[in-house]
């Protein structure tokens, strides 16, 4: 931790035992994806692999125009350059770090219009991904130049929480009524669709395929980081319904990503992605994943650990403010807690609090969370019980966990590369008297 500046991003993966940093690019590829990769067509243009990807995206989401990018932020970049005018605003549910960054770099301003429950960790409201319609209407009616309205599926910063189709429909009608484009961040749309099926009256009988398409069809377009629910190590795309918008995005993709028939991906990446998109509609696969987070959440809840409720799609989020009440937010409690989990049992997690907030935006009194994020199709129940043991072990020693101060603070997206020093020495946290569970390790 000392070498890594108390920043879990700066650890080497071989020094990590259970890697819950992110679900991004960390899923296991299926045998079908690996087989498809052998057929990658690496032609610069006109690649067969692109057309397979385009067909899969059209079939599943229903948007006719598909613009591939190397990953989600590539699509966010194109979208911001295409739709954001200097001084314009983008209303959204909370924010995502890279999404907001691209809007601001294009001269726009981000405005949060999430429901208030989104920022209340112990609220069990089932649709924390909803947008507050009154807030949105106020913004739209005030006469601002609105570039587009953005709604994020399985709202990451709120704990991976879904929106309801009822809310989505209302947001879509309201936004389009003002002649403003409505764009989804459809990353993790398949888990959002499963939550709708489970939680929203009237949708229990719909197939996941129907629900995913229904959600997508409420928007004018969407961007996707396919590194999540499409099970690929790298890849993403924008998909839209309007030819004129597609043309403008393609004019940007050739500058920043590559020819519109690969957009920064290799042919074999596009093959894996095309197959992954189809697998993301398989309810068995999505349900197995979501129930892993639920299982870990239950273990922690039973141990009395403060977590965000209900448990979201891709992670269990630990509420660091309640976990470490002796620390002020300026002492970076979530960053410090992530370090403590690593020290106790080699578990790598991610800070989602003041450090992920924004340079220059302190003081900050928003959510202060540690995300235990599950890669898809990777870990076993035994790994999850280990994680719960580690978190519980630290919880019993919580008052000894010190705060942190920055020793290096980058100006943009500071959480990635920042370095810290503890304000007091960390206690000895490593769990003793217990063997770590056996993992299969490839030959070095
Ligand atoms: C996650 C990530 C990856 C990440 C990104 C930034 C900071 C830390 C970790 C990426 C997302 C996302 C949403 C809703 C767009 C992106 C960017 N999430 N929208 O959760 O969750 O996609 O990483 O493929 O560029 O660990 P990209």
């Amino acid at each position: 931790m000392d070498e890594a500046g108390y920043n879990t991003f700066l650890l080497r993966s071989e020094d990590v035992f259970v890697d819950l940093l992110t679900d991004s690019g960390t899923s296991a590829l299926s045998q079908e994806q690996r087989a498809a990769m052998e057929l990658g067509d690496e032609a610069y243009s006109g690649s067969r692999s692109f057309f397979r990807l385009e067909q899969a995206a059209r079939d599943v989401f229903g948007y006719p125009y598909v613009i591939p990018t190397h990953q989600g932020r590539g699509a966010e970049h194109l979208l911001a350059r295409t739709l954001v005018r200097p001084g314009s605003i983008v209303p959204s549910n909370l924010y995502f770090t890279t999404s907001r960054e691209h809007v601001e770099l294009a001269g726009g301003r981000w405005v949060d219009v999430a429901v208030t429950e989104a920022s209340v960790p112990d609220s069990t409201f089932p649709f924390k991904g909803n947008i507050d319609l009154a807030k949105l209407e106020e913004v739209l009616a005030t006469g601002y130049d609105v570039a587009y309205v953005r709604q994020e599926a399985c709202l990451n910063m709120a704990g991976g929480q879904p929106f309801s189709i009822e809310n989505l429909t209302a947001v879509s009608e309201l936004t389009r009524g003002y002649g403003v484009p409505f764009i989804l961040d459809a990353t993790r749309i398949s888990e959002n669709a499963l939550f709708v099926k489970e939680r929203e009256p009237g949708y229990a009988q719909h197939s996941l395929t129907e629900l995913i398409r229904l959600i997508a069809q409420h928007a004018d377009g969407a961007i996707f980081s396919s590194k999540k629910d499409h099970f690929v190590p790298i890849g993403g795309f924008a998909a839209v319904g309007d030819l004129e918008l597609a043309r403008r995005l393609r004019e940007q993709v050739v500058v920043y990503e590559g020819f519109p028939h690969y957009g920064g991906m290799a042919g074999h990446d596009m093959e894996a992605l095309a197959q992954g998109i189809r697998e993301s509609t398989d309810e068995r696969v999505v349900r197995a994943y979501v129930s892993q987070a639920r299982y870990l959440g239950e273990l922690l809840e039973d141990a009395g650990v403060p977590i965000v409720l209900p448990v979201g799609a891709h992670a269990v989020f630990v509420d660091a403010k309640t976990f470490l009440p002796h620390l002020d937010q300026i002492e970076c409690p979530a960053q410090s807690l992530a370090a403590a989990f690593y020290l106790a049992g080699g578990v790598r997690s991610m800070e989602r609090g003041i450090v992920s907030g924004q340079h220059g935006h302190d003081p900050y009194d928003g959510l202060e969370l540690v995300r235990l994020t599950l890669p898809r199709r990777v870990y076993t129940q035994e790994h999850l019980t280990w994680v719960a043991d580690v978190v519980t072990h630290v919880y019993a020693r919580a008052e000894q966990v010190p705060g942190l101060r920055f020793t290096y603070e980058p100006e943009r997206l500071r959480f990635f590369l920042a370095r810290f020093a503890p304000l007091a020495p960390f206690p000895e946290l490593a769990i003793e008297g217990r063997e770590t569970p056996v993992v299969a390790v490839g030959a070095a």
Side-chain angles (χ1 to χ4, degrees):
M1 270 285 102
D2 226 27
E3 273 172 41
Y6 293 83
N7 183 349
T8 53
F9 276 104
L10 303 181
L11 289 165
R12 291 177 181 232
S13 68
E14 60 196 15
D15 294 332
V16 172
F17 174 41
V18 183
D19 199 348
L20 306 188
L21 183 70
T22 177
D23 64 328
S24 186
T26 54
S27 304
L29 288 156
S30 66
Q31 61 188 354
E32 286 75 11
Q33 285 179 292
R34 296 214 60 108
M37 288 172 79
E38 293 297 317
L39 300 174
D41 176 358
E42 308 299 345
Y44 190 93
S45 71
S47 159
R48 186 180 57 216
S49 304
F50 168 72
F51 295 108
R52 285 210 189 113
L53 165 60
E54 183 183 55
Q55 197 57 51
R58 282 180 179 164
D59 289 350
V60 171
F61 306 109
Y63 301 115
Y65 307 108
V66 179
I67 296 97
T69 58
H70 75 287
Q71 62 185 82
R73 71 198 70 180
E76 290 170 338
H77 182 207
L78 306 184
L79 189 72
R81 295 196 78 94
T82 303
L83 291 181
V84 175
R85 296 162 292 271
S88 64
I89 66 166
V90 176
S92 173
N93 46 351
L94 300 186
Y95 76 100
F96 189 72
T97 51
T98 53
S99 324
R100 180 171 68 187
E101 193 71 34
H102 280 298
V103 165
E104 292 180 353
L105 285 171
R109 192 160 60 84
W110 195 270
V111 178
D112 169 26
V113 290
V115 291
T116 49
E117 290 90 341
S119 307
V120 183
D122 59 359
S123 154
T124 54
F125 185 63
F127 295 109
K128 291 182 179 178
N130 282 0
I131 281 179
D132 184 322
L133 297 169
K135 275 191 214 160
L136 176 61
E137 173 131 47
E138 201 184 310
V139 172
L140 288 166
T142 317
Y144 288 118
D145 178 16
V146 181
Y148 58 95
V149 171
R150 169 189 180 275
Q151 191 162 16
E152 182 184 316
C154 286
L155 186 57
N156 204 346
M157 299 307 268
Q161 308 291 330
F163 50 65
S164 67
I165 288 188
E166 187 188 12
N167 182 259
L168 177 73
T169 309
V171 170
S172 171
E173 282 170 6
L174 185 59
T175 304
R176 287 160 152 183
Y178 279 87
V180 170
F182 178 44
I183 307 289
L184 288 177
D185 184 331
T187 305
R188 308 184 181 90
I189 188 175
S190 43
E191 288 93 10
N192 199 115
L194 184 68
F195 284 136
V196 164
K197 188 176 164 106
E198 288 179 349
R199 298 181 189 172
E200 189 166 357
Y203 294 102
Q205 301 310 318
H206 286 64
S207 71
L208 205 62
T209 308
E210 286 167 344
L211 289 172
I212 290 171
R213 198 179 171 104
L214 187 63
I215 291 171
Q217 285 312 295
H218 276 90
D220 299 301
I223 68 98
F224 297 78
S225 168
S226 294
K227 302 176 67 167
K228 285 75 171 177
D229 52 337
H230 302 153
F231 314 101
V232 287
I234 196 74
F237 58 100
V240 298
D242 177 58
L243 176 60
E244 202 41 49
L245 179 55
R247 285 191 168 140
R248 290 171 60 206
L249 289 165
R250 285 189 187 125
E251 286 171 23
Q252 299 292 332
V253 85
V254 290
V255 179
Y256 293 104
E257 301 280 317
F259 194 76
H261 291 165
Y262 73 90
M265 280 181 281
H268 62 241
D269 295 334
M270 293 190 284
E271 292 286 351
L273 177 49
Q275 172 62 24
I277 288 172
R278 296 194 190 280
E279 289 174 19
S280 76
T281 67
D282 186 329
E283 188 175 324
R284 298 164 304 174
V285 175
V286 181
R287 193 177 289 284
Y289 177 60
V290 167
S291 51
Q292 276 203 316
R294 201 167 291 159
Y295 174 72
L296 177 58
E298 279 164 12
L299 294 178
L300 294 178
E301 245 195 302
D302 289 349
V305 176
I307 60 170
V308 174
L309 295 170
V311 172
H314 60 308
V316 176
F317 289 70
V318 178
D319 180 5
K321 277 187 191 169
T322 312
F323 199 114
L324 303 175
H326 59 289
L327 297 185
D328 280 343
Q329 196 160 18
I330 203 73
E331 297 171 309
C332 308
Q335 188 75 33
S336 188
L337 191 54
F341 293 158
Y342 176 71
L343 292 170
V347 174
R348 171 153 76 165
S349 56
M350 190 190 290
E351 193 266 5
R352 298 278 80 173
I354 190 170
V355 179
S356 302
Q358 227 175 2
H359 179 77
H361 283 227
D362 313 338
Y364 161 98
D365 69 351
L367 292 165
E368 184 68 26
L369 309 175
V370 177
R371 191 181 71 174
L372 299 160
T373 335
L374 301 176
R376 289 170 183 75
R377 313 191 290 207
V378 172
Y379 286 119
T380 63
Q381 189 158 319
E382 192 183 10
H383 291 98
L384 300 183
T385 55
W386 174 254
V387 172
D389 287 353
V390 165
V391 172
T392 314
H393 178 82
V394 175
Y395 194 46
R397 293 154 184 79
E399 74 289 346
Q400 300 174 45
V401 175
L404 297 173
R405 64 176 171 83
F406 279 94
T407 57
Y408 164 57
E409 183 185 359
E411 268 192 35
R412 300 203 161 272
L413 301 177
R414 62 183 182 179
F415 57 89
F416 279 127
L417 299 171
R419 301 186 70 86
F420 303 84
L423 295 166
F426 269 83
E428 179 55 51
L429 284 171
I431 297 183
E432 281 180 27
R434 211 193 122 153
E435 268 179 56
T436 55
V438 177
V439 266
V441 189

